[in-house]
Amino acid sequence: MKPVVILGSGLAGISVVRELRKLDAARPVIIVTLDDGGFYSKPNLSNALASGKSAVQLALTPREGLAAQLKAEIRPHTRVTHLLPAESAIETDGGRIEYEKLVLALGAQPLRLPIEGDGAAAVLAVNNLADYAVFRDRLEGRQRVAILGAGLIGCEFANDLRIAGIEVDVFDLAPQPLGRLLPPRAAEFFRRKLEAAGVRFHFDTSIARIDRLGDGFRLTDKQGGSHAADLVLSAVGLKPETTLAQAAGLKVGRGIVVDRRLASADFPEVFALGDCAEVGGAGGLVLPFVLPIMAAARALAKTLAGTPTDVAYPAMPVVVKTPACPTAVCPPPAGVQGAWREEPTADGVKALFEDAAGRPVGFALTGSAAAERQALGASMPAWL
């Protein structure tokens, strides 16, 4: 029997195999990964510093143990060069692998801003455990970090660095933090709480140049302002990894386009999930969060085991890991028109997104209001 081949050993890929093993203990599985093949929790990378966790300590299960748990062959440090869906095979730098089913769990790559200067190439991004190890090494003895991007990851890193006693400046072209998640009043409350914790925000500010300055860097914004930092971290967003899929002729939009069974329309034996996938056809959902990945893994495992199953996404609140300001957001379903209604609480802001009929279909909770996350989440409509 040809194997199920999984490309990627992150949460999406490993979760599919874990769920598959609950249904089928014998089907051969090969996991192909550029990493060392061990398992770690990627969401923990942005709040590990304050707890003193090294990259080694974040690794939850080494490759040998993981392979034994999953009853799978793991091929580490292996680069896939071509997908050959018409031949039900892939080409890697270690040779050709034929498959019965192929699962693309390729994740996403950090976006890079077009920044000039001789220090631009030294800007770090943390997208995996190896990146985090480099970040921790470069941070040793440093006192001031500049973060590009005030989105979810940028704010989580900023709060984590402040807890560890590092000075932090955060730059973003947007007028507020968490610009894609929070309405204005909730965002202002969030901003004040992180500023009280020592984070320095620079909004409506875009960095044009990064130059080396002694052992550190000088950042120059587009208004001519100058800022010093010992280290620069980019957290401006992620782009679904679609290069291999596009070269192989799979349909690609914002991500690898798949139906609700997570299958490619052109090659139904090829599946995609996680950060690289656009679910529900062209214009579908790209959901780079843990709970949607777990829902997709459970559905896909059933399909791989012989019971075709559509993925369903109930409302799944996103928790922002910023102890200075507990925050939870449940975005409204894609395409729903409406408006935010914001109300202050004892020490926070409760914001409900109401559709045209006045029904709550999403929420954003900051501070004390975040305690309502579970109760409100149960009342929200499904995303898909």
Side-chain angles (χ1 to χ4, degrees):
M1 180 185 294
K2 291 181 180 179
V4 172
V5 173
I6 313 285
L7 302 190
S9 60
L11 179 66
I14 298 305
S15 295
V16 170
V17 185
R18 290 194 196 280
E19 294 297 329
L20 178 60
R21 285 298 179 238
K22 296 175 184 178
L23 307 171
D24 186 334
R27 185 178 298 264
V29 173
I30 297 175
I31 301 169
V32 180
T33 177
L34 272 172
D35 296 334
D36 68 2
F39 183 68
Y40 67 95
S41 175
K42 183 177 176 180
N44 289 342
L45 298 179
S46 60
N47 68 337
L49 182 66
S51 60
K53 295 273 182 80
S54 68
V56 172
Q57 291 170 318
L58 286 173
L60 301 175
T61 311
R63 180 176 67 249
E64 294 80 6
L66 185 64
Q69 285 180 11
L70 300 178
K71 299 179 182 178
E73 177 185 351
I74 300 177
R75 300 192 184 182
H77 308 299
T78 300
R79 182 175 297 278
V80 178
T81 56
H82 297 90
L83 307 183
L84 305 170
E87 302 173 32
S88 295
I90 63 171
E91 291 284 355
T92 77
D93 55 9
R96 178 185 173 99
I97 304 173
E98 295 186 348
Y99 60 79
E100 180 189 21
K101 310 284 187 185
L102 177 66
V103 176
L104 305 178
L106 299 168
Q109 297 299 320
L111 293 171
R112 289 285 186 176
L113 296 174
I115 296 174
E116 298 181 350
D118 62 6
V123 174
L124 300 178
V126 177
N127 192 43
N128 53 47
L129 196 59
D131 291 340
Y132 179 75
V134 172
F135 172 66
R136 282 296 303 268
D137 181 65
R138 300 274 181 86
L139 190 62
E140 189 70 29
R142 307 293 182 174
Q143 295 299 318
R144 186 167 183 174
V145 174
I147 297 177
L148 309 182
L152 186 148
I153 300 301
C155 288
E156 288 185 349
F157 266 108
N159 199 164
D160 197 46
L161 285 161
R162 283 301 305 139
I163 294 173
I166 306 295
E167 293 187 56
V168 182
D169 291 272
V170 181
F171 301 86
D172 202 301
L173 190 58
Q176 66 172 59
L178 301 179
R180 296 183 179 181
L181 293 175
L182 296 182
R185 198 167 183 175
E188 179 60 24
F189 181 88
F190 181 89
R191 171 182 180 167
R192 292 200 309 269
K193 285 294 188 179
L194 264 68
E195 286 178 336
V199 176
R200 293 186 291 262
F201 285 111
H202 307 263
F203 292 112
D204 301 303
T205 302
S206 179
I207 299 300
R209 292 185 60 89
I210 299 177
D211 295 292
R212 292 189 177 277
L213 180 65
D215 291 335
F217 302 91
R218 180 177 63 247
L219 291 76
T220 305
D221 63 45
K222 291 189 175 179
Q223 291 74 40
S226 182
H227 316 270
D230 297 324
L231 198 67
V232 184
L233 178 66
S234 177
V236 296
L238 297 171
K239 180 182 185 300
E241 179 50 68
T242 61
T243 306
L244 283 168
Q246 190 166 25
L250 275 67
K251 188 172 184 180
V252 169
R254 290 179 298 150
I256 301 168
V257 177
V258 293
D259 60 21
R260 289 190 61 177
R261 291 183 182 174
L262 305 174
S264 166
D266 299 314
F267 301 99
E269 306 307 312
V270 178
F271 302 85
L273 81 162
D275 293 6
C276 70
E278 183 174 342
V279 180
L285 300 178
V286 179
L287 298 173
F289 304 116
V290 171
L291 292 179
I293 287 174
M294 301 306 295
R298 288 189 291 270
L300 181 52
K302 293 177 183 178
T303 297
L304 295 175
T307 304
T309 301
D310 287 356
V311 66
Y313 292 128
M316 292 173 281
V318 177
V319 176
V320 184
K321 299 188 296 296
T322 47
C325 184
T327 299
V329 183
C330 185
V336 173
Q337 300 298 311
W340 286 101
R341 178 168 58 83
E342 301 186 75
E343 300 175 356
T345 63
D347 184 31
V349 173
K350 176 180 179 179
L352 297 177
F353 188 89
E354 298 176 338
D355 65 13
R359 295 169 298 197
V361 294
F363 62 77
L365 309 171
T366 61
S368 60
E372 298 185 48
R373 170 175 60 90
Q374 289 187 330
L376 279 175
S379 68
M380 293 293 111
W383 291 348
L384 182 65

